Amino acid sequence: MTIYNFGSINLDHLYQLDHFVRPGETMASNSYQCLLGGKGANQSVALAKAGADVKHVGAIHHSDQSIIDQLESLGVNTDLIRRIDVPTGHAIIQLTKEAENSIILYQGANHALTEEQVDQVLSSANEGDWVLLQNETNLIEYIMRKAQENKLNVAFNPAPMDVELTKKVLEFVDLLIVNEVEAMDLIGTKDIDSTIEAFPKAYPDLAVLMTLGKAGVCYFSDNKTLSVEAFSVDAVDTTAAGDTFIGFCLSSLMKGDEIKQAMTRACAASAICVTRLGAASAIPTQEEVTAFLAKH
């Protein structure tokens, strides 16, 4: 079983600061790194590190061969990434000592997917394969419609959240993965407790994974609600925590694990991730997650 990740690829320019830059303020950063990132790339790396067969579908500028090299070194199939004459997407990230981040995104090549490319990719997929999407690329609805036509499973992580787009495409989604803020935006609630109560009532036929940060994760499906607590660690950077969770959870489900087992393993992977700086570079291996779970 293969997962086709129609996902963003970014170069993350990471600046560590004492506090977020205020209007009119100029300040020196404590450090700077240029790292592979983007929700799509992060999730592909997490899937690969978790043992899944993942093919990344996207686009980068033709000069950025180092991105391809890095993804391949981490186990991601890059055959479906186009090299084009549009700048690679990038992010400018401010990271404070409290592990809070502020991010500016430039879409670039991430919004250069074509219908021809989508058709060609999905026509080669096998029934029962998965398609994964985030909201950092174009053609979201088109990809989902074509995936459904080809009898593929669709997982959607609608970040950054666009409420109208998300509601419009939910009929094509088999598994929705949101954090608590995104869930509140969809339902129109103001706190986690009311969201947990309202979400399965509003979307009773939809399988939903709702991550809750330090409070863990909830799952709703077929009138069934499950929850798993997060592991307590000292966080230094939460940038790729959600992407790590998604990759490890989907990989476990594709291997046939029960949902609660998949959630627990994904929470462990996220816990390791937040103790490290960076995005793709912070994602742990299968062996690290197994060792972590053995100690907890």
Side-chain angles (χ1 to χ4, degrees), residues 19 146 209 228 235 293:
H19 60 262
K146 288 295 180 178
L209 278 166
V228 169
L293 285 168

Side-chain angles (χ1 to χ4, degrees), residues 140-259:
I140 299 295
E141 183 177 357
Y142 184 83
I143 294 166
M144 289 187 182
R145 287 182 180 274
K146 288 295 180 178
Q148 189 178 72
E149 289 177 12
N150 286 276
K151 298 181 180 179
L152 306 175
N153 301 303
V154 174
F156 185 37
N157 171 221
M161 171 59 75
D162 179 328
V163 172
E164 294 309 312
L165 169 68
T166 302
K167 288 181 176 180
K168 185 178 180 182
V169 301
L170 285 181
E171 63 180 294
F172 307 113
V173 176
D174 296 287
L175 178 63
L176 181 71
I177 309 162
V178 289
N179 63 29
E180 70 269 34
V181 175
E182 293 157 353
M184 289 178 203
D185 287 344
L186 271 179
I187 302 297
T189 48
K190 300 295 184 183
D191 60 78
I192 291 176
D193 289 340
S194 58
T195 305
I196 291 174
E197 181 180 351
F199 211 112
K201 293 178 181 177
Y203 300 103
D205 299 323
L206 182 65
V208 180
L209 278 166
M210 183 170 73
T211 58
L212 305 170
K214 294 179 180 179
V217 60
C218 288
Y219 174 77
F220 316 115
S221 179
D222 300 325
N223 296 318
K224 176 173 67 175
T225 301
L226 298 172
S227 62
V228 169
E229 292 184 0
F231 295 92
S232 179
V233 294
D234 294 325
V236 297
D237 186 1
T238 61
T239 302
D243 299 326
T244 299
F245 176 90
I246 290 168
F248 273 80
C249 193
L250 281 178
S251 178
S252 290
L253 292 174
M254 290 171 66
K255 293 174 186 175
D257 291 344
E258 293 293 328
I259 183 63

Side-chain angles (χ1 to χ4, degrees), residues 99 213-214 230-238 241 267-276 292 296:
K214 294 179 180 179
F231 295 92
S232 179
V233 294
D234 294 325
V236 297
D237 186 1
T238 61
C267 282
S270 293
I272 298 171
C273 175
V274 301
T275 64
R276 302 168 174 175
F292 180 91
H296 297 76

Side-chain angles (χ1 to χ4, degrees), residues 91-127:
I92 296 175
I93 304 172
Q94 299 181 59
L95 177 67
T96 70
K97 293 182 291 186
E98 290 75 30
E100 295 292 329
N101 60 53
S102 176
I103 303 174
I104 300 172
L105 283 175
Y106 171 69
Q107 297 163 341
N110 292 321
H111 275 232
L113 290 171
T114 66
E115 293 183 0
E116 180 183 16
Q117 181 186 11
V118 173
D119 293 347
Q120 185 176 9
V121 168
L122 295 184
S123 66
S124 65
N126 297 314
E127 184 176 337

